[in-house]
């Protein structure tokens, strides 16, 4: 689950960078996302999942809520990727599909 979320997040971030002309070039951006971002985010997600498991102990309802939050992240990233425009517009420096509640300082 963590790997799926890391890959979907990297694809979403790469798409946003491409739409808003962020970064050096496509090759440098994809190298960073493939070799640094995905393994790093995957490691953080695995450590967070282990920490949640250690802190929550044997409480199935809390584990189910944590899994539901992770699944919600995967679904949001995936739907943003495949149901969005092929080339999203970036009029104010933030893609139109980006939620306004989440700050986007990199754009």
């Amino acid at each position: 689950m963590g790997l799926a979320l890391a890959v979907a997040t990297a694809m979403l971030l790469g798409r946003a960078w491409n739409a808003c002309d962020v970064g050096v070039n496509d090759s440098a951006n994809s190298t960073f996302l493939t070799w640094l971002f995905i393994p790093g985010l995957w490691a953080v997600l695995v450590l967070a999942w282990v920490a949640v498991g250690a802190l929550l102990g044997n409480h199935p309802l809390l584990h189910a809520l944590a899994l539901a939050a992770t699944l919600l992240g995967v679904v949001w990233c995936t739907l943003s990727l495949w149901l969005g425009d092929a080339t999203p517009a970036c009029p104010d420096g933030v893609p139109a599909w980006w939620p306004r509640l989440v700050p986007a300082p990199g754009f």
Side-chain angles (χ1 to χ4, degrees), residues 12-52:
L12 189 62
L13 184 59
R15 185 175 181 187
W17 282 354
N18 191 24
C20 297
D21 294 328
V22 174
V24 178
N25 58 32
D26 290 338
S27 177
N29 289 347
S30 65
T31 300
F32 167 76
L33 290 173
T34 303
W35 295 105
L36 296 174
F37 185 80
I38 291 175
L41 183 59
W42 188 20
V44 167
L45 290 171
V46 166
L47 290 175
W49 189 254
V50 168
V52 165

Side-chain angles (χ1 to χ4, degrees), residues 18-103:
N18 191 24
C20 297
D21 294 328
V22 174
V24 178
N25 58 32
D26 290 338
S27 177
N29 289 347
S30 65
T31 300
F32 167 76
L33 290 173
T34 303
W35 295 105
L36 296 174
F37 185 80
I38 291 175
L41 183 59
W42 188 20
V44 167
L45 290 171
V46 166
L47 290 175
W49 189 254
V50 168
V52 165
L55 291 174
L56 297 181
N58 192 13
H59 295 92
L61 179 62
L62 296 176
H63 284 280
L65 290 174
L67 182 60
T70 305
L71 285 172
L72 184 64
V74 170
V75 168
W76 178 74
C77 288
T78 305
L79 289 178
S80 295
L81 281 170
W82 282 286
L83 294 181
D85 296 331
T87 56
C90 195
D92 57 351
V94 178
W97 47 261
W98 191 263
R100 298 295 174 202
L101 298 174
V102 179

